[in-house]
Amino acid sequence: MTVTKDQILGWLKACAAEFAAQQDYLTDLDREIGDADHGLNMNRGFTKVMEKLPTFEAQPIGGIMKGVGMTLMSSIGGASGPLYGTFFIRAATSTASAEELDLAALIKMLEDGVAGVVMRGKAEHGDKTMCDVWWPVLQAAKEAKDAGSDITAALDKMVAAAEEGAKSTIPMQARKGRASYLGERSVGHQDAGATSSLIMIKALAATVSGS
Ligand code: ADP
Ligand code: MG
């Protein structure tokens, strides 16, 4: 079983639909410890991705990832634009000519993306960022692969890890980004970027399982 290029395109469309539907929720999270624009940013970015998609959707998965990254980079202001932009641009490296991804290739793609976010944002574990979702997701993915799971089962584990990861940001004190200016007052709120990452992982799992 693999994740096909069509499923990757379906995933991006599902992300766009979710960010449109959950714009206010994400913005409310960012209002608590940020500047109330994260939902707006993600919706704007993925609306632009949908506009631009026809110009790069014929390419292999890497070309699509790169197109998404460049689009997000240029259309989202704020911290999340360069971070998610870098995520997708780096995710293009190992998938350059791929038309489908097996579980190992999917993990590699996400791992490269997360490494890009870390290179750019220098987040560490427990800093209350999107990485506190991506790290446990990668961990769960690798454990599932080592246990011989198929992609659907691995994605279920990845969603569970993402949900836990997003929740785990609530008691954390922010040490990166705008929320870090609040010091101890950032404790007690779920991180907006961790939540948008959760939404993306859920959208991937739902697209691949066909639900
Ligand atoms: P801004 O903070 O510029 O308003 P957004 O509101 O769109 O940008 O995005 C905020 C999110 O970006 C945070 O919730 C956090 O998850 C993520 N973030 C901020 N700084 C970093 C960083 N250095 N590394 C990883 N993620 C970060
Ligand atoms: Mg913000």
Side-chain angles (χ1 to χ4, degrees), residues 50-197:
M50 286 302 105
E51 274 172 43
K52 292 262 174 115
L53 201 56
T55 66
F56 52 74
E57 70 184 353
Q59 295 181 34
I61 291 172
I64 295 168
M65 292 293 120
K66 192 169 171 206
V68 172
M70 306 286 269
T71 307
L72 294 179
M73 195 81 94
S74 62
S75 62
I76 306 186
S80 57
L83 292 168
Y84 277 127
T86 304
F87 178 91
F88 281 95
I89 288 168
R90 286 295 199 91
T93 322
S94 66
T95 56
S97 58
E99 297 287 340
E100 59 181 355
L101 308 170
D102 62 13
L103 181 54
L106 176 68
I107 293 173
K108 173 75 177 133
M109 177 181 87
L110 298 177
E111 218 167 25
D112 287 348
V114 175
V117 173
V118 173
M119 178 213 57
R120 189 125 198 171
K122 309 275 184 291
E124 291 177 28
H125 287 263
D127 279 355
K128 198 179 182 101
T129 71
M130 59 177 77
C131 295
D132 290 308
V133 160
W134 284 109
W135 285 316
V137 164
L138 289 176
Q139 179 70 26
K142 285 183 215 163
E143 281 170 16
K145 178 175 157 288
D146 291 346
S149 302
D150 67 8
I151 290 183
T152 319
L155 280 166
D156 283 346
K157 294 273 165 56
M158 290 157 72
V159 167
E163 274 167 347
E164 280 295 305
K167 253 189 252 154
S168 79
T169 65
I170 297 173
M172 290 174 187
Q173 177 171 332
R175 286 193 295 258
K176 289 286 180 306
R178 214 175 269 282
S180 66
Y181 308 156
L182 290 180
E184 283 176 12
R185 279 185 295 138
S186 64
V187 172
H189 304 279
Q190 185 164 309
D191 178 63
T195 311
S196 57
S197 292

Side-chain angles (χ1 to χ4, degrees), residues 30 34-38 41 78-80 178 192:
D30 193 35
D35 56 352
D37 66 353
H38 190 60
N41 284 341
S80 57
R178 214 175 269 282

